[in-house]
Amino acid sequence: MLTKIAGSGALGLREQLGKGLFARVAGPDGPRNRARIHGTPGPRWFGPERPIRRVHSDASMFIGGLSALLLQSLHPLAMAAVAAHSGYRGDPWGRLQRTSTFLATTTFGTAAHAQEACAQVRAVHERVRGRTPEGESYQAADPHLLAWVHAAEVDSFLRAHQRYGARPLPEDGCDAYVADAARIAAELGVVDPPTNREELARVLEAYRPELRASAQAREAARFLLLSPPVPLAARLPYGVLAANAVSLLPSWAARELRLPRLPVVDEWCVRPLGSAMTSAVRWVLAPSRPGTAPAAS
């Protein structure tokens, strides 16, 4: 009897925590969006067997997403656009909710809904333009900037999944994930996006001369890592995820952002805690519909 009561209490706690996390990440329209994404009949860009579904439905996305934001910030033009137009400081949860809904729609939704979501993002990008503090002009719809944002995101998501995911992809599955992500990138305006890891590595390396940690990038890193908009009770779990997002960065990127990394601490403390925290998030989200993105659906 006591075992049953304890089990029931654990399930109740998991459901409560899961609902709270879902509400934070998916927003007030989360249940309606989830029903629309998964309940609408019609062809999808990606079938149930595609690796993009496995990657985007895993709790490792929480670490991969944070790491992607840090890496993307190293392009001064991309960072200037984010600082001026994204509202990441004034409405960080709203930005997260919009991003997670986009990922869920394009990964799991119908082809028609995915194309609609991409068209909406393209329209927003067309309006985002301006100048950096140094006077250099930028436009979010610039295919060159879009290609950097895409490459940094795909690389971060994939590396997070391979390190923290419940079921890391085999070698050919990693290439297939990059190819799946290229389908979405092309709809967003990226020209010839990479379709395998070798091409992805070449793209990332080609951008190195353009990358540096601007004052805006370091300010964004401080906000994400030291002043996150999370309740006090969630600061410790968030801190573990954030430390692992830094650990996931290429070493040159961490140095550029002046983020401390000690290999011994990484190996024996940060990564094990990251694996444990990812498992905990995965457990919390377990009541959700299987095969859906933790960030939005």
Side-chain angles (χ1 to χ4, degrees), residues 81-278:
V82 168
H85 300 276
S86 77
Y88 81 90
R89 292 184 69 93
D91 184 26
W93 288 108
R95 183 173 188 241
L96 173 62
Q97 290 156 11
R98 290 188 293 272
T99 300
S100 62
T101 300
F102 174 81
L103 285 172
T105 301
T106 51
T107 304
F108 303 102
T110 66
H113 287 163
Q115 288 173 334
E116 179 185 359
C118 289
Q120 290 172 348
V121 171
R122 289 198 308 271
V124 171
H125 285 167
E126 288 293 339
R127 299 193 296 268
V128 173
R129 58 187 69 202
R131 291 187 176 275
T132 68
E134 295 75 27
E136 190 173 0
S137 63
Y138 62 79
Q139 183 177 350
D142 177 1
H144 186 69
L145 280 186
L146 290 173
W148 161 249
V149 171
H150 169 72
E153 180 178 273
V154 170
D155 181 67
S156 299
F157 288 174
L158 181 57
R159 289 193 300 115
H161 184 80
Q162 295 304 97
R163 182 180 295 181
Y164 304 104
R167 294 185 301 138
L169 295 168
E171 293 294 317
D172 59 346
C174 292
D175 285 339
Y177 170 72
V178 177
D180 285 349
R183 172 74 176 85
I184 301 172
E187 289 289 335
L188 291 174
V190 178
V191 178
D192 295 327
T195 57
N196 57 55
R197 283 178 302 165
E198 184 178 349
E199 292 177 4
L200 178 61
R202 286 201 299 266
V203 169
L204 291 168
E205 184 61 29
Y207 277 91
R208 283 289 300 277
E210 303 175 36
L211 305 179
R212 63 180 177 82
S214 63
Q216 290 176 323
R218 293 197 177 102
E219 181 183 354
R222 285 193 296 270
F223 177 77
L224 288 171
L225 301 176
L226 302 178
S227 306
V230 298
L232 185 61
R235 285 295 178 94
L236 181 58
Y238 181 90
V240 171
L241 296 178
N244 280 272
V246 173
S247 173
L248 194 67
L249 286 170
S251 57
W252 63 264
R255 288 194 302 269
E256 187 69 30
L257 287 167
R258 300 176 186 169
L259 299 174
R261 284 225 319 229
L262 297 173
V264 174
V265 176
D266 259 11
E267 182 177 357
W268 293 100
C269 182
V270 174
R271 293 189 187 186
L273 284 174
S275 295
M277 184 56 62
T278 308

